[in-house]
Amino acid sequence: MIAELGHFALALAAAVALVQAVVPMLGAARGDGAMMAAAAPAALVQFGVLGIAFAALMHAYITSDFSVLNVIENSHSLKPLLYKVAGTWGNHEGSLLLWVTVLALFGALVAVFGRNLPPSLKARTLSVQALITLGFLVFMLLTSNPFARVFPPPIEGTDLNPLLQDPGLAFHPPMLYVGYVGLSISFSFAVAALIEGKVDAAWARWVRPWTLLAWTFLTAGIALGSWWAYYELGWGGFWYWDPVENASFMPWLAATALLHSAIVVEKRDTLKSWTILLAIIAFGLSLIGTFLVRSGVLTSVHAFASDPDRGIFILLLLVVAIGGSLGLYAWRAPGLQGGGLFRPVSREGALVLNNLLLSAAAATVFVGTLYPLFLEVLTDDKISVGPPYFNLTFTPIMGVLVIALGVGAMLPWKRGDLGAVTRRLTVACVVTAVLMGLAALLYWQRSALAVAGLGMAAWLAAATLTQLWQRVRPTARIGVGEGVRRMAGLPRAAWGMTLAHLGVAVIVAGATGASLLTQETISSGGPGDRFTVGDYAFTLESVDRVAGPNYAAERGTFRVTDAETGDEIATLHGERRRYVAGGQETTEAGIRSDLGGDLYAVLGQPTDDGGWTVRLYRKPLVPWLWIGSGLLVLGGLFSLSDRRLRVGAPRRSGTRAGGVARTQPAE
């Protein structure tokens, strides 16, 4: 009965989405306030109905209702509760339901927190959002019903992919979806503005918080997925440029460019047309990622479906949404004239360079991801584009961006003096030179590129802290104590920018260490054998059989000591798990982390002579990847908490004597 309720809720949500898509849009065209006012309650009802549908599917998973086909294919009664809940979105149909629920969530948030939006813009934005939701709801009802019944029901299900039975993968998809599905609201704002033919500073101020919210969750989702791949897959890497990884990374790059471009629209009333285009591209890349995951064109642990018919349906949705919006853009964009003038050497010029580099980086990832697919369609030849391509194309672009970030934030608006900025960055240059010298002493023999990467990280961190200090203590006449006191009074958005740029610097250092300074040994042996990795000795102490809630495992115990002194450093446990339901195997790496890096041990396949294959690593600075990602997320949250970025937050001003207060929109 609950499954039927969920199915009915989906159909009802489609009907509500149709009303929300049509009535407010007509009302905005006619200037009918009552019809426009229908957008907000419709958005709230749609979110409530989809919430019921999502809860119904989750109930089926928690109770192991094997009369529901989706539960049979993706669950098992022995699964821990966390993974039963995560199974709700760990499949094609369930993840689509999460997709539309997040779409409705952002519509509901705009309905509640967008009270100060102009009625016509709000109505059109919510109508466009409903159109997107309607398209996916029709897709679900016709091809991907998550509540399809089976009779008679089997006794057991076939289980969820064991690789997905992990805390990291339990929370990774919801965060990722709030991120790149959340970019739909920026797209809806952009299309609504194109229909109205008006893009101004107020529009940029309204769209920035929603983009920042999506960007923050997308950052957290990508970082969590990378962390999962690092410790769960047992290969020792954090990013492999897998096409489905790229599917979330491309929208992130476009959203980062959009955030910076919207600042220029807000502050200087220019780059309007470009900012609208970025909003369309960012969500367009999210739809392309959805197509890649669900069309069957890719085979990946991340992929949900392999049905070409479903892929064609999604491709049609993509063509209608992106093709229609780009057609509207081509018609309306020539009328979006910017009013602000600026010199190339200025804050605006730096943000334009930022956008160009981020766009070029996104383009290289796009080409590397889709070129093999296009080539296979056109010539039937299969090729693989992997890390070497991205290292040669993407990495140099981001290197230039990291260097430019250190200078751009110091430039004033309209016109800047590069010489004056260089003088203010003298201390940062000295700090960078000293740290690069230390890095060269430690690592030059192993990798000159690593020295360069660590130097860029040091440069960005030093320049970012210099910019923060210059902001609170612009002259020597202001004492150090006064400068520290002023820091507490800085806007939260300023702290957010500082934390985000520091996060980039820390990530660059972590990626450099993980990619260029890793030491590894892949060998075989039995209990008592000793393996040397750099300055460390790993001894395989024992291999024991252990039982989990729905798996059996062999657990290898590794004792790690200093290779020279023999001092004990850590004990690591690596596992090979075999799951009861389907007999699938996974690895669990044993990891010991500190700020200097990770010790990493994997127990591999048994060998013919009764031993075991082992993979052992020393990975310098890897924890900095997660610390830097945390700083990025924290920076986004700090900026969101800034009063000036709260959509619809009123600000009262006036005199007590007159007894009258005026309410003004927040800056």
Side-chain angles (χ1 to χ4, degrees), residues 222 239-254 281 285-286 288-289 292 298 356-374 384-398:
I222 291 172
W239 193 265
Y240 194 67
W241 298 103
D242 180 281
V244 185
E245 291 175 338
N246 297 344
S248 60
F249 189 46
M250 290 185 290
W252 185 88
L253 291 168
I281 289 174
L285 291 171
S286 296
I288 289 172
L292 291 176
L298 294 177
L356 290 174
L357 292 171
L358 285 169
S359 300
T364 62
V365 178
F366 182 86
V367 170
T369 302
L370 295 184
Y371 174 72
L373 304 180
F374 290 139
S384 175
V385 175
Y389 162 81
F390 294 102
N391 291 339
L392 288 173
T393 56
F394 179 85
T395 304
I397 294 171
M398 297 308 289

Side-chain angles (χ1 to χ4, degrees), residues 87-358:
T88 308
W89 53 77
N91 57 87
H92 169 69
E93 291 82 3
S95 65
L96 266 181
L97 183 53
L98 179 61
W99 229 99
V100 294
T101 304
V102 172
L103 280 170
L105 170 64
F106 273 84
L109 289 174
V110 170
V112 172
F113 295 105
R115 292 185 297 271
N116 285 358
L117 287 168
S120 61
L121 178 63
K122 182 177 181 180
R124 288 186 171 110
T125 298
L126 291 177
S127 288
V128 175
Q129 191 77 0
L131 274 172
I132 302 168
T133 309
L134 179 61
F136 279 94
L137 283 170
V138 170
F139 173 51
M140 288 183 66
L141 290 169
L142 294 180
T143 72
S144 306
N145 176 18
F147 299 103
R149 291 280 198 179
V150 170
F151 186 82
I155 297 175
E156 269 297 351
T158 58
D159 207 3
L160 180 68
N161 185 338
L163 288 174
L164 306 181
Q165 295 185 39
D166 179 85
L169 256 289
F171 300 106
H172 160 69
M175 287 189 178
L176 203 64
Y177 276 39
V178 172
Y180 68 71
V181 178
L183 291 174
S184 62
I185 203 67
S186 304
F187 171 84
S188 298
F189 267 105
V191 173
L194 286 173
I195 294 172
E196 291 197 349
K198 181 181 179 182
V199 177
D200 54 15
W203 175 88
R205 191 160 54 244
W206 287 317
V207 81
R208 272 182 64 202
W210 302 108
T211 306
L212 183 59
L213 177 63
W215 178 90
T216 301
F217 274 91
L218 185 55
T219 303
I222 291 172
L224 197 56
S226 178
W227 180 55
W228 165 81
Y230 173 70
Y231 72 76
E232 174 69 19
L233 299 183
W235 61 297
F238 65 95
W239 193 265
Y240 194 67
W241 298 103
D242 180 281
V244 185
E245 291 175 338
N246 297 344
S248 60
F249 189 46
M250 290 185 290
W252 185 88
L253 291 168
T256 305
L258 174 60
L259 281 174
H260 291 85
S261 178
I263 295 173
V264 181
V265 178
E266 179 183 353
K267 301 293 186 183
R268 299 288 299 126
D269 195 35
T270 190
L271 295 187
K272 297 177 181 179
S273 179
W274 172 248
T275 302
I276 290 287
L277 181 60
L278 277 177
I280 294 172
I281 289 174
F283 183 59
L285 291 171
S286 296
L287 289 178
I288 289 172
T290 303
F291 170 73
L292 291 176
V293 171
R294 302 171 195 279
S295 61
V297 299
L298 294 177
T299 301
S300 167
V301 67
H302 307 82
F304 284 120
S306 57
D307 185 350
D309 292 336
R310 290 173 174 176
I312 291 172
F313 199 113
I314 296 175
L315 187 61
L316 288 174
L317 284 177
L318 193 154
V319 169
V320 170
I322 304 307
S325 59
L326 289 177
L328 180 63
Y329 174 81
W331 176 34
R332 290 288 201 177
L336 303 177
Q337 300 297 325
L341 299 177
F342 59 89
R343 295 288 182 87
V345 180
S346 63
R347 179 71 64 85
E348 298 96 322
L351 290 171
V352 168
L353 177 62
N354 162 289
N355 269 225
L356 290 174
L357 292 171
L358 285 169

Side-chain angles (χ1 to χ4, degrees), residues 64 66 71-77 154-160 581-582:
S64 295
F66 295 125
V71 180
I72 296 171
E73 293 177 342
N74 300 283
S75 192
H76 192 279
S77 61
I155 297 175
E156 269 297 351
T158 58
D159 207 3
L160 180 68

